[in-house]
mmCIF file of all heavy atoms in Angstrom:
data_model
loop_
_atom_site.group_PDB
_atom_site.id
_atom_site.type_symbol
_atom_site.label_atom_id
_atom_site.label_comp_id
_atom_site.label_asym_id
_atom_site.label_seq_id
_atom_site.Cartn_x
_atom_site.Cartn_y
_atom_site.Cartn_z
ATOM 1 N N MET A 1 -18.220 -6.883 4.033
ATOM 2 C CA MET A 1 -17.326 -5.835 4.535
ATOM 3 C C MET A 1 -15.864 -6.276 4.428
ATOM 4 O O MET A 1 -14.992 -5.491 4.031
ATOM 5 C CB MET A 1 -17.672 -5.498 5.982
ATOM 6 C CG MET A 1 -18.978 -4.755 6.154
ATOM 7 S SD MET A 1 -19.231 -4.129 7.840
ATOM 8 C CE MET A 1 -19.295 -5.665 8.768
ATOM 9 N N TYR A 2 -15.598 -7.511 4.779
ATOM 10 C CA TYR A 2 -14.226 -8.021 4.720
ATOM 11 C C TYR A 2 -13.692 -7.997 3.290
ATOM 12 O O TYR A 2 -12.559 -7.565 3.040
ATOM 13 C CB TYR A 2 -14.179 -9.445 5.283
ATOM 14 C CG TYR A 2 -12.804 -10.063 5.276
ATOM 15 C CD1 TYR A 2 -11.939 -9.875 6.349
ATOM 16 C CD2 TYR A 2 -12.353 -10.827 4.189
ATOM 17 C CE1 TYR A 2 -10.671 -10.442 6.349
ATOM 18 C CE2 TYR A 2 -11.092 -11.378 4.181
ATOM 19 C CZ TYR A 2 -10.252 -11.185 5.263
ATOM 20 O OH TYR A 2 -8.996 -11.729 5.245
ATOM 21 N N VAL A 3 -14.494 -8.438 2.336
ATOM 22 C CA VAL A 3 -14.059 -8.469 0.939
ATOM 23 C C VAL A 3 -13.814 -7.055 0.423
ATOM 24 O O VAL A 3 -12.803 -6.795 -0.239
ATOM 25 C CB VAL A 3 -15.104 -9.197 0.062
ATOM 26 C CG1 VAL A 3 -14.777 -9.028 -1.416
ATOM 27 C CG2 VAL A 3 -15.168 -10.678 0.427
ATOM 28 N N VAL A 4 -14.719 -6.139 0.724
ATOM 29 C CA VAL A 4 -14.557 -4.747 0.277
ATOM 30 C C VAL A 4 -13.298 -4.130 0.875
ATOM 31 O O VAL A 4 -12.528 -3.450 0.181
ATOM 32 C CB VAL A 4 -15.798 -3.913 0.652
ATOM 33 C CG1 VAL A 4 -15.551 -2.427 0.401
ATOM 34 C CG2 VAL A 4 -17.008 -4.376 -0.151
ATOM 35 N N ILE A 5 -13.051 -4.394 2.145
ATOM 36 C CA ILE A 5 -11.851 -3.862 2.800
ATOM 37 C C ILE A 5 -10.595 -4.448 2.167
ATOM 38 O O ILE A 5 -9.633 -3.724 1.875
ATOM 39 C CB ILE A 5 -11.879 -4.166 4.310
ATOM 40 C CG1 ILE A 5 -12.949 -3.318 4.998
ATOM 41 C CG2 ILE A 5 -10.517 -3.893 4.946
ATOM 42 C CD1 ILE A 5 -13.204 -3.724 6.430
ATOM 43 N N GLY A 6 -10.579 -5.752 1.936
ATOM 44 C CA GLY A 6 -9.407 -6.390 1.335
ATOM 45 C C GLY A 6 -9.100 -5.841 -0.042
ATOM 46 O O GLY A 6 -7.945 -5.531 -0.363
ATOM 47 N N LEU A 7 -10.124 -5.696 -0.887
ATOM 48 C CA LEU A 7 -9.923 -5.128 -2.225
ATOM 49 C C LEU A 7 -9.459 -3.681 -2.138
ATOM 50 O O LEU A 7 -8.569 -3.255 -2.894
ATOM 51 C CB LEU A 7 -11.216 -5.221 -3.027
ATOM 52 C CG LEU A 7 -11.677 -6.629 -3.448
ATOM 53 C CD1 LEU A 7 -13.051 -6.565 -4.087
ATOM 54 C CD2 LEU A 7 -10.670 -7.260 -4.412
ATOM 55 N N SER A 8 -10.036 -2.920 -1.225
ATOM 56 C CA SER A 8 -9.670 -1.510 -1.089
ATOM 57 C C SER A 8 -8.220 -1.347 -0.649
ATOM 58 O O SER A 8 -7.509 -0.448 -1.124
ATOM 59 C CB SER A 8 -10.605 -0.823 -0.087
ATOM 60 O OG SER A 8 -11.947 -0.893 -0.509
ATOM 61 N N LEU A 9 -7.766 -2.212 0.260
ATOM 62 C CA LEU A 9 -6.365 -2.149 0.690
ATOM 63 C C LEU A 9 -5.423 -2.372 -0.491
ATOM 64 O O LEU A 9 -4.404 -1.684 -0.634
ATOM 65 C CB LEU A 9 -6.099 -3.198 1.772
ATOM 66 C CG LEU A 9 -6.708 -2.958 3.154
ATOM 67 C CD1 LEU A 9 -6.359 -4.102 4.093
ATOM 68 C CD2 LEU A 9 -6.223 -1.639 3.735
ATOM 69 N N GLY A 10 -5.762 -3.335 -1.356
ATOM 70 C CA GLY A 10 -4.917 -3.602 -2.514
ATOM 71 C C GLY A 10 -4.917 -2.458 -3.512
ATOM 72 O O GLY A 10 -3.864 -2.050 -4.007
ATOM 73 N N VAL A 11 -6.090 -1.914 -3.816
ATOM 74 C CA VAL A 11 -6.191 -0.828 -4.799
ATOM 75 C C VAL A 11 -5.453 0.408 -4.313
ATOM 76 O O VAL A 11 -4.685 1.038 -5.072
ATOM 77 C CB VAL A 11 -7.680 -0.497 -5.071
ATOM 78 C CG1 VAL A 11 -7.813 0.784 -5.891
ATOM 79 C CG2 VAL A 11 -8.349 -1.665 -5.799
ATOM 80 N N LEU A 12 -5.655 0.794 -3.050
ATOM 81 C CA LEU A 12 -4.997 1.989 -2.520
ATOM 82 C C LEU A 12 -3.481 1.810 -2.470
ATOM 83 O O LEU A 12 -2.726 2.742 -2.775
ATOM 84 C CB LEU A 12 -5.534 2.295 -1.121
ATOM 85 C CG LEU A 12 -4.976 3.558 -0.444
ATOM 86 C CD1 LEU A 12 -5.217 4.793 -1.306
ATOM 87 C CD2 LEU A 12 -5.596 3.743 0.947
ATOM 88 N N ALA A 13 -3.024 0.606 -2.114
ATOM 89 C CA ALA A 13 -1.583 0.348 -2.099
ATOM 90 C C ALA A 13 -0.991 0.497 -3.495
ATOM 91 O O ALA A 13 0.083 1.090 -3.667
ATOM 92 C CB ALA A 13 -1.309 -1.055 -1.566
ATOM 93 N N GLY A 14 -1.682 -0.025 -4.502
ATOM 94 C CA GLY A 14 -1.196 0.118 -5.875
ATOM 95 C C GLY A 14 -1.092 1.561 -6.297
ATOM 96 O O GLY A 14 -0.095 1.979 -6.910
ATOM 97 N N LEU A 15 -2.090 2.360 -5.976
ATOM 98 C CA LEU A 15 -2.078 3.781 -6.319
ATOM 99 C C LEU A 15 -0.898 4.492 -5.668
ATOM 100 O O LEU A 15 -0.144 5.225 -6.334
ATOM 101 C CB LEU A 15 -3.394 4.423 -5.875
ATOM 102 C CG LEU A 15 -3.485 5.946 -5.989
ATOM 103 C CD1 LEU A 15 -3.371 6.379 -7.441
ATOM 104 C CD2 LEU A 15 -4.783 6.461 -5.380
ATOM 105 N N LEU A 16 -0.711 4.281 -4.373
ATOM 106 C CA LEU A 16 0.363 4.971 -3.658
ATOM 107 C C LEU A 16 1.743 4.574 -4.177
ATOM 108 O O LEU A 16 2.624 5.427 -4.367
ATOM 109 C CB LEU A 16 0.262 4.672 -2.160
ATOM 110 C CG LEU A 16 -0.961 5.255 -1.430
ATOM 111 C CD1 LEU A 16 -0.980 4.790 0.023
ATOM 112 C CD2 LEU A 16 -0.931 6.780 -1.495
ATOM 113 N N LEU A 17 1.956 3.293 -4.425
ATOM 114 C CA LEU A 17 3.286 2.840 -4.843
ATOM 115 C C LEU A 17 3.594 3.228 -6.281
ATOM 116 O O LEU A 17 4.764 3.408 -6.632
ATOM 117 C CB LEU A 17 3.405 1.327 -4.648
ATOM 118 C CG LEU A 17 3.472 0.924 -3.163
ATOM 119 C CD1 LEU A 17 3.474 -0.580 -3.012
ATOM 120 C CD2 LEU A 17 4.711 1.511 -2.503
ATOM 121 N N ASP A 18 2.578 3.375 -7.122
ATOM 122 C CA ASP A 18 2.841 3.918 -8.454
ATOM 123 C C ASP A 18 3.213 5.391 -8.379
ATOM 124 O O ASP A 18 4.089 5.865 -9.113
ATOM 125 C CB ASP A 18 1.612 3.727 -9.354
ATOM 126 C CG ASP A 18 1.736 2.484 -10.228
ATOM 127 O OD1 ASP A 18 2.851 1.929 -10.306
ATOM 128 O OD2 ASP A 18 0.731 2.075 -10.827
ATOM 129 N N ILE A 19 2.564 6.139 -7.504
ATOM 130 C CA ILE A 19 2.911 7.549 -7.311
ATOM 131 C C ILE A 19 4.357 7.677 -6.848
ATOM 132 O O ILE A 19 5.093 8.576 -7.274
ATOM 133 C CB ILE A 19 1.949 8.203 -6.289
ATOM 134 C CG1 ILE A 19 0.538 8.311 -6.895
ATOM 135 C CG2 ILE A 19 2.459 9.584 -5.871
ATOM 136 C CD1 ILE A 19 -0.505 8.814 -5.916
ATOM 137 N N LEU A 20 4.787 6.748 -5.990
ATOM 138 C CA LEU A 20 6.167 6.770 -5.467
ATOM 139 C C LEU A 20 7.182 6.180 -6.444
ATOM 140 O O LEU A 20 8.378 6.188 -6.154
ATOM 141 C CB LEU A 20 6.218 5.977 -4.157
ATOM 142 C CG LEU A 20 5.473 6.566 -2.964
ATOM 143 C CD1 LEU A 20 5.403 5.556 -1.833
ATOM 144 C CD2 LEU A 20 6.155 7.847 -2.488
ATOM 145 N N LYS A 21 6.705 5.674 -7.596
ATOM 146 C CA LYS A 21 7.588 5.003 -8.575
ATOM 147 C C LYS A 21 8.389 3.894 -7.887
ATOM 148 O O LYS A 21 9.622 3.832 -7.945
ATOM 149 C CB LYS A 21 8.529 6.015 -9.239
ATOM 150 C CG LYS A 21 7.774 7.126 -9.979
ATOM 151 C CD LYS A 21 8.734 8.023 -10.728
ATOM 152 C CE LYS A 21 8.002 9.188 -11.376
ATOM 153 N NZ LYS A 21 6.967 8.773 -12.332
ATOM 154 N N ALA A 22 7.655 2.992 -7.238
ATOM 155 C CA ALA A 22 8.272 1.979 -6.389
ATOM 156 C C ALA A 22 9.069 0.943 -7.158
ATOM 157 O O ALA A 22 9.805 0.160 -6.544
ATOM 158 C CB ALA A 22 7.190 1.279 -5.553
ATOM 159 N N HIS A 23 8.983 0.909 -8.488
ATOM 160 C CA HIS A 23 9.781 -0.060 -9.241
ATOM 161 C C HIS A 23 11.271 0.175 -9.042
ATOM 162 O O HIS A 23 12.086 -0.720 -9.282
ATOM 163 C CB HIS A 23 9.426 0.008 -10.733
ATOM 164 C CG HIS A 23 9.681 1.344 -11.353
ATOM 165 N ND1 HIS A 23 8.713 2.323 -11.428
ATOM 166 C CD2 HIS A 23 10.798 1.868 -11.906
ATOM 167 C CE1 HIS A 23 9.224 3.392 -12.021
ATOM 168 N NE2 HIS A 23 10.484 3.140 -12.317
ATOM 169 N N ARG A 24 11.630 1.388 -8.589
ATOM 170 C CA ARG A 24 13.049 1.688 -8.322
ATOM 171 C C ARG A 24 13.602 0.843 -7.192
ATOM 172 O O ARG A 24 14.821 0.696 -7.061
ATOM 173 C CB ARG A 24 13.208 3.168 -7.940
ATOM 174 C CG ARG A 24 12.762 4.162 -9.000
ATOM 175 C CD ARG A 24 12.805 5.563 -8.444
ATOM 176 N NE ARG A 24 11.825 5.739 -7.368
ATOM 177 C CZ ARG A 24 11.817 6.786 -6.543
ATOM 178 N NH1 ARG A 24 12.745 7.726 -6.639
ATOM 179 N NH2 ARG A 24 10.885 6.881 -5.599
ATOM 180 N N TRP A 25 12.717 0.294 -6.353
ATOM 181 C CA TRP A 25 13.151 -0.400 -5.151
ATOM 182 C C TRP A 25 13.011 -1.910 -5.258
ATOM 183 O O TRP A 25 13.027 -2.621 -4.251
ATOM 184 C CB TRP A 25 12.354 0.116 -3.953
ATOM 185 C CG TRP A 25 12.476 1.598 -3.798
ATOM 186 C CD1 TRP A 25 13.565 2.377 -4.068
ATOM 187 C CD2 TRP A 25 11.453 2.498 -3.344
ATOM 188 N NE1 TRP A 25 13.298 3.692 -3.812
ATOM 189 C CE2 TRP A 25 12.007 3.810 -3.374
ATOM 190 C CE3 TRP A 25 10.134 2.338 -2.922
ATOM 191 C CZ2 TRP A 25 11.284 4.931 -2.991
ATOM 192 C CZ3 TRP A 25 9.421 3.447 -2.534
ATOM 193 C CH2 TRP A 25 9.975 4.729 -2.567
ATOM 194 N N LEU A 26 12.862 -2.418 -6.483
ATOM 195 C CA LEU A 26 12.938 -3.855 -6.697
ATOM 196 C C LEU A 26 14.397 -4.295 -6.646
ATOM 197 O O LEU A 26 15.313 -3.483 -6.810
ATOM 198 C CB LEU A 26 12.334 -4.215 -8.056
ATOM 199 C CG LEU A 26 10.834 -3.981 -8.242
ATOM 200 C CD1 LEU A 26 10.458 -4.112 -9.718
ATOM 201 C CD2 LEU A 26 10.024 -4.955 -7.398
ATOM 202 N N GLN A 27 14.613 -5.595 -6.423
ATOM 203 C CA GLN A 27 15.980 -6.110 -6.505
ATOM 204 C C GLN A 27 16.494 -5.923 -7.932
ATOM 205 O O GLN A 27 15.707 -5.958 -8.888
ATOM 206 C CB GLN A 27 16.025 -7.585 -6.109
ATOM 207 C CG GLN A 27 15.809 -7.838 -4.631
ATOM 208 C CD GLN A 27 16.965 -7.380 -3.753
ATOM 209 O OE1 GLN A 27 17.945 -6.830 -4.244
ATOM 210 N NE2 GLN A 27 16.868 -7.597 -2.459
ATOM 211 N N PRO A 28 17.814 -5.711 -8.112
ATOM 212 C CA PRO A 28 18.359 -5.368 -9.428
ATOM 213 C C PRO A 28 17.944 -6.293 -10.559
ATOM 214 O O PRO A 28 17.639 -5.836 -11.663
ATOM 215 C CB PRO A 28 19.874 -5.413 -9.190
ATOM 216 C CG PRO A 28 20.036 -5.063 -7.749
ATOM 217 C CD PRO A 28 18.846 -5.676 -7.061
ATOM 218 N N PHE A 29 17.883 -7.611 -10.312
ATOM 219 C CA PHE A 29 17.564 -8.516 -11.410
ATOM 220 C C PHE A 29 16.123 -8.341 -11.880
ATOM 221 O O PHE A 29 15.827 -8.512 -13.073
ATOM 222 C CB PHE A 29 17.827 -9.979 -11.001
ATOM 223 C CG PHE A 29 16.787 -10.586 -10.105
ATOM 224 C CD1 PHE A 29 15.781 -11.388 -10.625
ATOM 225 C CD2 PHE A 29 16.812 -10.366 -8.734
ATOM 226 C CE1 PHE A 29 14.822 -11.949 -9.807
ATOM 227 C CE2 PHE A 29 15.854 -10.928 -7.906
ATOM 228 C CZ PHE A 29 14.857 -11.721 -8.440
ATOM 229 N N LEU A 30 15.208 -7.947 -10.973
ATOM 230 C CA LEU A 30 13.828 -7.687 -11.379
ATOM 231 C C LEU A 30 13.663 -6.281 -11.931
ATOM 232 O O LEU A 30 12.913 -6.059 -12.882
ATOM 233 C CB LEU A 30 12.887 -7.887 -10.194
ATOM 234 C CG LEU A 30 12.283 -9.280 -9.998
ATOM 235 C CD1 LEU A 30 11.290 -9.270 -8.850
ATOM 236 C CD2 LEU A 30 11.620 -9.791 -11.256
ATOM 237 N N ALA A 31 14.373 -5.328 -11.330
ATOM 238 C CA ALA A 31 14.300 -3.952 -11.821
ATOM 239 C C ALA A 31 14.792 -3.870 -13.261
ATOM 240 O O ALA A 31 14.247 -3.129 -14.089
ATOM 241 C CB ALA A 31 15.117 -3.032 -10.921
ATOM 242 N N LYS A 32 15.824 -4.652 -13.571
ATOM 243 C CA LYS A 32 16.354 -4.666 -14.934
ATOM 244 C C LYS A 32 15.308 -5.187 -15.908
ATOM 245 O O LYS A 32 15.113 -4.634 -17.004
ATOM 246 C CB LYS A 32 17.605 -5.536 -14.987
ATOM 247 C CG LYS A 32 18.249 -5.600 -16.372
ATOM 248 C CD LYS A 32 19.493 -6.476 -16.340
ATOM 249 C CE LYS A 32 20.111 -6.566 -17.732
ATOM 250 N NZ LYS A 32 21.319 -7.425 -17.730
ATOM 251 N N ALA A 33 14.601 -6.260 -15.526
ATOM 252 C CA ALA A 33 13.559 -6.810 -16.393
ATOM 253 C C ALA A 33 12.407 -5.823 -16.548
ATOM 254 O O ALA A 33 11.844 -5.663 -17.627
ATOM 255 C CB ALA A 33 13.052 -8.133 -15.827
ATOM 256 N N TYR A 34 12.088 -5.125 -15.458
ATOM 257 C CA TYR A 34 10.970 -4.178 -15.486
ATOM 258 C C TYR A 34 11.274 -2.972 -16.365
ATOM 259 O O TYR A 34 10.405 -2.457 -17.071
ATOM 260 C CB TYR A 34 10.658 -3.723 -14.062
ATOM 261 C CG TYR A 34 9.437 -2.848 -13.943
ATOM 262 C CD1 TYR A 34 8.173 -3.410 -13.822
ATOM 263 C CD2 TYR A 34 9.530 -1.460 -13.943
ATOM 264 C CE1 TYR A 34 7.037 -2.623 -13.711
ATOM 265 C CE2 TYR A 34 8.410 -0.664 -13.835
ATOM 266 C CZ TYR A 34 7.173 -1.252 -13.715
ATOM 267 O OH TYR A 34 6.048 -0.453 -13.615
ATOM 268 N N LEU A 35 12.535 -2.514 -16.324
ATOM 269 C CA LEU A 35 12.918 -1.305 -17.044
ATOM 270 C C LEU A 35 13.513 -1.590 -18.411
ATOM 271 O O LEU A 35 14.011 -0.686 -19.073
ATOM 272 C CB LEU A 35 13.931 -0.505 -16.201
ATOM 273 C CG LEU A 35 13.392 0.036 -14.870
ATOM 274 C CD1 LEU A 35 14.522 0.641 -14.056
ATOM 275 C CD2 LEU A 35 12.287 1.054 -15.105
ATOM 276 N N GLN A 36 13.501 -2.856 -18.818
ATOM 277 C CA GLN A 36 14.055 -3.236 -20.114
ATOM 278 C C GLN A 36 13.376 -2.431 -21.219
ATOM 279 O O GLN A 36 12.188 -2.152 -21.171
ATOM 280 C CB GLN A 36 13.818 -4.732 -20.358
ATOM 281 C CG GLN A 36 14.587 -5.284 -21.542
ATOM 282 C CD GLN A 36 14.401 -6.795 -21.635
ATOM 283 O OE1 GLN A 36 13.525 -7.344 -20.981
ATOM 284 N NE2 GLN A 36 15.211 -7.455 -22.420
ATOM 285 N N ASP A 37 14.146 -2.058 -22.228
ATOM 286 C CA ASP A 37 13.609 -1.248 -23.318
ATOM 287 C C ASP A 37 12.344 -1.865 -23.891
ATOM 288 O O ASP A 37 12.360 -2.947 -24.464
ATOM 289 C CB ASP A 37 14.649 -1.113 -24.432
ATOM 290 C CG ASP A 37 14.126 -0.254 -25.584
ATOM 291 O OD1 ASP A 37 13.937 0.951 -25.370
ATOM 292 O OD2 ASP A 37 13.896 -0.802 -26.672
ATOM 293 N N GLU A 38 11.231 -1.167 -23.703
ATOM 294 C CA GLU A 38 9.940 -1.734 -24.059
ATOM 295 C C GLU A 38 9.751 -1.874 -25.557
ATOM 296 O O GLU A 38 9.257 -2.871 -26.051
ATOM 297 C CB GLU A 38 8.825 -0.860 -23.463
ATOM 298 C CG GLU A 38 7.449 -1.409 -23.722
ATOM 299 C CD GLU A 38 6.385 -0.628 -22.980
ATOM 300 O OE1 GLU A 38 6.731 0.012 -21.980
ATOM 301 O OE2 GLU A 38 5.236 -0.658 -23.420
ATOM 302 N N SER A 39 10.164 -0.847 -26.312
ATOM 303 C CA SER A 39 9.925 -0.881 -27.754
ATOM 304 C C SER A 39 10.687 -2.004 -28.427
ATOM 305 O O SER A 39 10.146 -2.745 -29.241
ATOM 306 C CB SER A 39 10.309 0.466 -28.363
ATOM 307 O OG SER A 39 11.687 0.746 -28.129
ATOM 308 N N GLY A 40 11.940 -2.198 -28.037
ATOM 309 C CA GLY A 40 12.737 -3.251 -28.658
ATOM 310 C C GLY A 40 12.209 -4.625 -28.331
ATOM 311 O O GLY A 40 12.086 -5.488 -29.187
ATOM 312 N N CYS A 41 11.850 -4.807 -27.053
ATOM 313 C CA CYS A 41 11.361 -6.131 -26.651
ATOM 314 C C CYS A 41 10.004 -6.433 -27.270
ATOM 315 O O CYS A 41 9.759 -7.523 -27.734
ATOM 316 C CB CYS A 41 11.268 -6.205 -25.119
ATOM 317 S SG CYS A 41 10.802 -7.826 -24.523
ATOM 318 N N SER A 42 9.117 -5.444 -27.296
ATOM 319 C CA SER A 42 7.786 -5.675 -27.842
ATOM 320 C C SER A 42 7.844 -5.974 -29.324
ATOM 321 O O SER A 42 7.171 -6.853 -29.828
ATOM 322 C CB SER A 42 6.899 -4.442 -27.601
ATOM 323 O OG SER A 42 6.684 -4.266 -26.215
ATOM 324 N N ALA A 43 8.698 -5.226 -30.024
ATOM 325 C CA ALA A 43 8.810 -5.449 -31.462
ATOM 326 C C ALA A 43 9.307 -6.851 -31.740
ATOM 327 O O ALA A 43 8.821 -7.551 -32.626
ATOM 328 C CB ALA A 43 9.750 -4.414 -32.070
ATOM 329 N N ASN A 44 10.293 -7.278 -30.953
ATOM 330 C CA ASN A 44 10.843 -8.608 -31.161
ATOM 331 C C ASN A 44 9.793 -9.677 -30.882
ATOM 332 O O ASN A 44 9.695 -10.674 -31.582
ATOM 333 C CB ASN A 44 12.059 -8.807 -30.231
ATOM 334 C CG ASN A 44 12.701 -10.161 -30.413
ATOM 335 O OD1 ASN A 44 13.187 -10.485 -31.484
ATOM 336 N ND2 ASN A 44 12.694 -10.959 -29.346
ATOM 337 N N THR A 45 8.995 -9.416 -29.827
ATOM 338 C CA THR A 45 7.975 -10.404 -29.465
ATOM 339 C C THR A 45 6.899 -10.503 -30.522
ATOM 340 O O THR A 45 6.463 -11.578 -30.894
ATOM 341 C CB THR A 45 7.349 -10.029 -28.103
ATOM 342 O OG1 THR A 45 8.374 -9.999 -27.135
ATOM 343 C CG2 THR A 45 6.287 -11.016 -27.697
#
């Protein structure tokens, strides 16, 4: 029961915060890395 509850808390939190687009509320230095142009960075990598 404890393991199922712990996993469920994590999964539900992830769902809710993605719906809220919570990446907007990271500190600027992390938000910048998160929102970095994906196509340019991936191509370079």
Side-chain angles (χ1 to χ4, degrees):
M1 289 190 297
Y2 180 88
V3 170
V4 171
I5 289 170
L7 291 173
S8 300
L9 289 179
V11 170
L12 182 57
L15 172 63
L16 292 176
L17 289 175
D18 263 347
I19 291 174
L20 292 170
K21 301 185 184 301
H23 60 268
R24 300 173 294 167
W25 304 325
L26 294 168
Q27 289 290 2
F29 77 98
L30 269 185
K32 181 180 179 181
Y34 186 85
L35 296 173
Q36 191 175 13
D37 181 67
E38 183 173 337
S39 60
C41 184
S42 294
N44 181 62
T45 301

